[in-house]
Structure formats: C-alpha cells, structure tokens
Amino acid sequence: MVKTKFVYNSDILTAGWVGSVPCTKNITTETYLVNKNVYQYPQIYNSHSGKSLPAPTKANMKRYKPEDRVKKDKDIRNIRWYIGKYSDPKWDWSALDIHHVIHLEYGGDNKMGDLYALTRTLHQLQISPWWRGYR
C-alpha cells in the first residue's frame, strides 16, 4: 500500500437446501485502520480502566513540522489524573509510557483524552512502529 487507509472485512455467505435456489449475502463485518506497511492499528484493552486504546479516526492526518507541534508534557499530572479517574492500580509507573492516541507529529495534544498508559515494551514494539508507517 502507498498510504494509510481504512479497509473492510467483507464476507460472502451462500446457503441453500438441496432442490432450492441458494441465497447469497455480502456482509461487511469490521473496519480496520492499516498503515502503509499493511499493519493493522493495534487493538489494546486496559482491564483496570475498562477502556480500549482508541484508534485514530482519520487516515489522512496532516503532518506538522516539529516547531508547530504541541510539546510533549512529561508532567506527573497524567498519572495523578489516571489514579483520580480510575483508582490506583498499584502499577510501577516507571515501566510505563503515556501514549498519545494521536501522535504529536499529526496534531495530537497533551489533553487527557489523547493519552493512554501502555507498557514501555508494548509502546515501543507495536505502537511506535505502527506510527512510523503512517503516511
């Protein structure tokens, strides 16, 4: 693929009985966001908060120059906010990364709705490589 886009899982079902005319139906079951490397955006669920990692809703976001991007906020308030909203999971926060749902390079910000706690390994081995393939 040349660029990131949404793809659809589509199935064709055919059923019939002996001596009858078969009935065929096309079914589109799910929509997936895939990057130019044909990797699906990871589906991740946080069992503590009960929230799934939201996927970007656009496949054609504008790329911002570094000087026009929101600067990454490394403030501890993100952890305090999480604990205040979902209670203290007793995690080792030093082993976690706070992921921007919309990458700062594509207009993300430091608002709590754009942040999601991930293990550093998951963030670096699945999410960051997916974003490197976003174009």
Side-chain angles (χ1 to χ4, degrees):
M1 278 196 327
V2 179
K3 62 182 181 174
T4 298
K5 63 182 176 179
F6 287 94
V7 296
Y8 304 92
N9 181 24
S10 187
D11 296 310
I12 299 173
L13 303 173
T14 302
W17 290 265
V18 174
S20 69
V21 177
C23 176
T24 301
K25 186 173 187 178
N26 291 335
I27 300 173
T28 300
T29 53
E30 294 190 55
T31 304
Y32 301 99
L33 181 62
V34 294
N35 66 15
K36 70 176 186 171
N37 300 324
V38 197
Y39 291 123
Q40 179 183 336
Y41 190 78
Q43 296 178 348
I44 298 168
Y45 178 74
N46 178 333
S47 60
H48 180 262
S49 70
K51 302 288 182 187
S52 292
L53 174 65
T57 57
K58 295 180 182 178
N60 60 347
M61 289 184 277
K62 173 186 170 187
R63 188 175 185 186
Y64 289 83
K65 296 176 187 174
E67 62 270 15
D68 295 334
R69 297 176 194 164
V70 170
K71 303 298 178 229
K72 190 177 228 176
D73 181 2
K74 296 187 181 208
D75 191 338
I76 195 74
R77 70 185 178 88
N78 301 330
I79 296 170
R80 284 193 213 122
W81 175 87
Y82 183 94
I83 291 170
K85 182 158 178 105
Y86 301 112
S87 78
D88 190 349
K90 308 292 186 207
W91 292 336
D92 174 9
W93 287 93
S94 67
L96 299 176
D97 285 344
I98 303 297
H99 165 66
H100 288 79
V101 174
I102 302 300
H103 204 277
L104 295 175
E105 182 178 0
Y106 294 98
D109 57 38
N110 292 310
K111 294 178 183 165
M112 297 305 138
D114 192 41
L115 303 175
Y116 193 90
L118 294 168
T119 65
R120 184 155 297 121
T121 301
L122 184 62
H123 193 222
Q124 293 176 357
L125 296 181
Q126 286 192 27
I127 304 296
S128 293
W130 189 92
W131 277 103
R132 282 194 291 278
Y134 184 95
R135 298 279 186 257

